[in-house]
Amino acid sequence: NYVQHQGICPEGWHIMNSGEWAHLDQRTGGSAAHYMGSKVAGFGNNDYGLSILPTGYWLDYGNEHNKFYEINVQSDFWMPQQADTDSTAYMTSVSRKNFSRNFPVSKNYGNSVRCVKNY
């Protein structure tokens, strides 16, 4: 029942939505952060082939102090669902021990986008 929004993804692919993140979390028994990580980065075991690397996020302060945070600690992903205001959007966050989804954050953050094949 979730929208498949192509966004910047190639033809036949879409931005991973809330339902797909929830399905992965459910399949891993609530241990998505462990099972979706990348062995290469020491960030999980990649049992589900998603291979998330801890890329962190970028924050736009509107000045020369813009920078990346939490590299090697977590990965944050935009979801296609919009929040209640034009200045916020929903995201999912995966860290070494935590998995959070469907929370609104400012669009001043620079997060990753995860493309998945249409089904």
Side-chain angles (χ1 to χ4, degrees):
N1 295 337
Y2 289 93
V3 174
Q4 289 186 353
H5 181 76
Q6 182 179 352
I8 65 168
C9 300
E11 191 70 33
W13 294 68
H14 64 276
I15 297 171
M16 201 165 169
N17 62 44
S18 179
E20 291 161 331
W21 284 109
H23 177 73
L24 281 172
D25 192 38
Q26 183 180 31
R27 281 194 62 198
T28 61
S31 298
H34 176 72
Y35 291 111
M36 290 191 285
S38 170
K39 289 180 195 177
V40 175
F43 186 67
N45 64 17
N46 194 29
D47 283 351
Y48 290 84
L50 198 55
S51 196
I52 292 174
L53 296 173
T55 57
Y57 61 89
W58 182 78
L59 187 52
D60 179 4
Y61 290 108
N63 58 37
E64 69 276 359
H65 299 291
N66 304 333
K67 66 179 189 175
F68 282 93
Y69 293 90
E70 302 296 331
I71 295 173
N72 294 324
V73 176
Q74 71 185 48
S75 291
D76 295 339
F77 298 93
W78 289 121
M79 292 190 298
Q81 297 86 351
Q82 291 295 305
D84 294 336
T85 70
D86 289 339
S87 63
T88 59
Y90 286 105
M91 63 169 272
T92 293
S93 181
V94 180
S95 69
R96 293 180 188 272
K97 296 182 181 183
N98 296 309
F99 174 74
S100 303
R101 65 180 180 84
N102 276 355
F103 61 93
V105 295
S106 167
K107 290 182 181 177
N108 287 350
Y109 284 83
N111 296 328
S112 299
V113 174
R114 186 70 186 204
C115 295
V116 293
K117 199 168 194 174
N118 292 349
Y119 42 87

